[in-house]
Amino acid sequence: MVSEQNVLEPETRVDGHGDFLYRYALSRVRDSGAAEDLVQETFLAALKSRENFTGQSSERTWLVGILKHKIIDYFRKVSRERPSSDMEAGEDFTERFFDKKGMWKSDTAPSEWQMDPAAVMEQKELAKTLEDCMAKLPARLSHAFQLVEMDEIKTDEVCKVLNITATNLWVMLYRARMSLKRCLETNWFHKSSEKEK
Amino acid sequence: MLNCQKATKLLSESLDRPLPLYQRMLLRMHVWMCRFCSRFEKQLLFMRQIFRHYEKQLSKDHPSPDSASLSPEARARIKKVLQEEESSSG
């Protein structure tokens, strides 16, 4: 017997949490269609396992937990869709940053960053810059980086998700970090120091 | 001895696993002597902090007027799928 309460519940949840889950998914997968699918899968999974929600955390926290698992599944799926030669996609920085002796070139060598956490992390504009810099990465590098740095998953688990070796992963993370560092330097930390003048 | 290119690779790796002692010693020597790689090391660690903080902020969600949201079509579609699932499992 389906009570009125049960019929209303799924819709109420979508209204209450749909936009939030969508925003989270979009930030992680950068594709509105994929983000919509992930939100749908999350609500479906929540519906099927609602007995598992014990109320110890908020409903939103529970839903975001489900969504994060779906996002990891998505990364797993994407990594298997392409041939392994794509695995080490991303720029080879050798020539851009280092001279023939392997030393930093003067124009792209690390500059001093203003690294006061309060000054940097409280600024809302930083989120946009981080997203823009991540969007520049090839998808596979972005996924590897996110699993390690945002989901904080251990190396061997990440390798299983992405179906790569640890050596592949080190290379991908190195390229992601070099690219992001440079992007942040150019678009955030240099601009900050200009503001102070 | 390490050059900066090798040092940056090792610095990146050291974020995710402990390096063998010999590599660690070579790396510390190089970083001690090279101001660029010294900065790079600090920047890698700071980036880690920034991105972890970013993820936590995403989980909390502070929407602004121009934040993304589900399109009306997507919202309706999701509700419909949920209703179908609800009624099929009775």
Side-chain angles (χ1 to χ4, degrees), chain A residues 17-29:
Chain A
H17 304 294
D19 285 340
F20 160 68
L21 292 176
Y22 177 69
R23 272 191 284 277
Y24 186 95
L26 191 60
S27 299
R28 302 291 306 267
V29 304

Side-chain angles (χ1 to χ4, degrees), chain B:
Chain B
M1 285 300 289
L2 297 176
N3 60 28
C4 296
Q5 193 176 332
K6 290 205 180 96
T8 55
K9 277 207 178 101
L10 285 179
L11 283 168
S12 175
E13 257 181 68
S14 72
L15 285 179
D16 307 303
R17 63 159 186 153
L19 296 177
L21 182 61
Y22 182 60
Q23 280 187 330
R24 224 185 311 157
M25 282 168 55
L26 284 180
L27 183 58
R28 293 269 48 93
M29 279 268 284
H30 177 93
V31 170
W32 185 59
M33 292 190 298
C34 175
R35 79 180 190 280
F36 292 136
C37 288
S38 174
R39 280 179 194 163
F40 183 77
E41 183 180 33
K42 295 192 181 84
Q43 289 164 359
L44 276 187
L45 292 166
F46 195 59
M47 280 207 316
R48 171 160 278 188
Q49 274 189 282
I50 292 176
F51 277 97
R52 283 187 183 167
H53 183 258
Y54 168 66
E55 199 280 331
K56 287 184 171 57
Q57 290 303 106
L58 270 188
S59 298
K60 286 188 207 151
D61 187 45
H62 306 287
S64 58
D66 50 313
S67 289
S69 55
L70 279 171
S71 69
E73 298 80 29
R75 183 187 294 264
R77 187 178 0 113
I78 291 171
K79 285 183 182 176
K80 185 159 170 285
V81 166
L82 289 180
Q83 278 159 6
E84 283 165 11
E85 175 64 32
E86 181 89 43
S87 50
S88 73
S89 59

